[in-house]
Amino acid sequence: MLHKPSSAVNEDYASKKKSRLGILFFFIYFFLYGGFVIIGVVNYELLAVETLWGLNLATLYGISLIVFAVLLGVLYNYYCSRYEDQSEREIAERGEKV
């Protein structure tokens, strides 16, 4: 039994840009999540404050974190696809094979 990829995998010329974007998004989310944790540790009573639509801050912040993570995933996919298309166009303009 062979354990090989089912299709040929070419070199990813956009991997450096994609890595930088992933690290940037990670730190953005890290600081937002850190804010939630810090509020919970330092002033947990603040999480019980009623906010929009009768939700307390903990629920609103938690739902917002989930929605924001999904949004970051969509944005990451969008920008990575653009980076790959851009690098393929640049390679094609130079006349190299991809």
Side-chain angles (χ1 to χ4, degrees):
M1 181 176 245
L2 295 176
H3 296 283
K4 293 182 178 180
S6 60
S7 62
V9 179
N10 296 329
E11 186 175 344
D12 187 6
Y13 296 105
S15 66
K16 193 172 183 179
K17 286 182 175 179
K18 293 190 307 188
S19 296
R20 265 188 270 139
L21 182 65
I23 291 170
L24 174 69
F25 282 2
F26 169 78
F27 279 106
I28 289 171
Y29 192 80
F30 176 78
F31 286 114
L32 286 175
Y33 188 77
F36 183 73
V37 171
I38 288 172
I39 291 172
V41 170
V42 174
N43 190 5
Y44 63 88
E45 291 137 356
L46 184 63
L47 294 174
V49 171
E50 190 171 316
T51 59
L52 300 173
W53 307 297
L55 297 173
N56 63 24
L57 181 62
T59 305
L60 183 66
Y61 205 137
I63 291 172
S64 299
L65 282 171
I66 293 168
V67 170
F68 189 65
V70 171
L71 178 68
L72 285 179
V74 170
L75 285 173
Y76 181 78
N77 185 43
Y78 172 75
Y79 282 111
C80 286
S81 297
R82 284 186 60 180
Y83 291 153
E84 289 173 355
D85 293 342
Q86 182 182 12
S87 67
E88 287 177 8
R89 257 185 274 133
E90 289 173 0
I91 291 170
E93 288 174 2
R94 287 185 280 176
E96 297 175 13
K97 280 189 168 183
V98 177

